[in-house]
Amino acid sequence: MATENKNLSEYDKATIPNASKFRFGIVVSEWNEKITEGLYKGAYNALIENGVAPSNIIRWNVPGSFELVYGCKKMQEQMVNAVIAIGSVIQGETKHFDFVCEGVTQGIKDLNVMRETPVVFCVLTDNTMQQAIDRSGGKHGNKGTEAGIAAIKMAELRKNS
Ligand SMILES: Nc1c(NC[C@H](O)[C@H](O)[C@H](O)CO)[nH]c(=O)[nH]c1=O
Ligand SMILES: CC(=O)[C@@H](O)COP(=O)(O)O
């Protein structure tokens, strides 16, 4: 199902585990800051709305999405139950988009495979700025909200596994 057929911000609160005892790390890319701040707000609010204390949310910034891999690796070393990687990659004139997207995707996948703390992939990879706007609080909802909920579910899965 494509994003256009679902709202990224919608979830059934009754299905979300109690997150009051969990700590979360959020690593935010500074590239396309207008987008990543919108994604961060969505993720932060989803955590708070499901019982996470503000003091249990750690935020670090990195220059761009490619640096999310290193930032999330270091965040995994903190006492957190899950990590959220937030970025916005937008196609430019060259193939650089392809390499940044591949690098951050594979890097975050590797962190999930090699270490115990789950890292949620909240990196938009859009053709246009409008597509990014639509997915960070616009007409398609907020992928940050989706990521916050995913982080709670993965923290619960880790606790029970
Ligand atoms: N063009 C975008 C970038 N490019 C920067 C890289 O992520 C990286 O910071 C640089 O290559 C130095 O290592 N980053 C984004 O997050 N979004 C873009 O659209
Ligand atoms: C994803 C990028 O690195 C890209 O936005 C940079 O733009 P360009 O390909 O025009 O250099």
Side-chain angles (χ1 to χ4, degrees):
M1 176 190 287
T3 296
E4 64 185 359
N5 300 319
K6 80 186 284 292
N7 186 295
L8 295 165
S9 299
E10 290 175 357
Y11 64 91
D12 179 359
K13 200 167 169 52
T15 67
I16 311 305
N18 181 316
S20 59
K21 293 191 170 33
F22 290 147
R23 297 186 78 234
F24 295 92
I26 306 179
V27 185
V28 184
S29 163
E30 294 170 340
W31 253 83
N32 298 317
E33 186 178 17
K34 172 185 170 186
I35 303 301
T36 59
E37 286 305 319
L39 294 170
Y40 174 76
K41 287 188 177 73
Y44 182 88
N45 290 339
L47 295 177
I48 297 296
E49 286 162 13
N50 287 280
V52 179
S55 59
N56 283 341
I57 300 172
I58 308 168
R59 172 180 171 162
W60 292 344
N61 289 353
V62 292
S65 291
F66 192 82
E67 285 75 38
L68 285 171
V69 180
Y70 181 84
C72 289
K73 181 184 81 168
K74 301 305 286 182
M75 184 63 84
Q76 285 180 310
E77 296 168 5
Q78 306 303 306
M79 293 296 289
V80 295
N81 299 93
V83 177
I84 301 171
I86 291 180
S88 168
V89 192
I90 298 175
Q91 178 64 65
E93 295 176 349
T94 72
K95 290 175 63 66
H96 196 236
F97 170 88
D98 300 334
F99 296 102
V100 171
C101 292
E102 181 70 9
V104 67
T105 303
Q106 294 304 320
I108 289 174
K109 179 266 291 178
D110 291 344
L111 293 180
N112 279 286
V113 170
M114 295 188 294
R115 295 172 168 220
E116 281 305 302
T117 304
V119 182
V120 171
F121 186 76
C122 185
V123 180
L124 293 179
T125 54
D126 298 298
N127 298 311
T128 64
M129 176 59 80
Q130 188 57 53
Q131 286 180 349
I133 292 167
D134 292 346
R135 289 158 176 78
S136 57
K139 68 178 182 180
H140 293 318
N142 193 325
K143 199 158 187 70
T145 305
E146 178 192 62
I149 298 304
I152 292 170
K153 290 179 176 180
M154 292 309 292
E156 181 76 1
L157 183 147
R158 177 189 183 194
K159 177 171 71 95
N160 296 333
S161 61

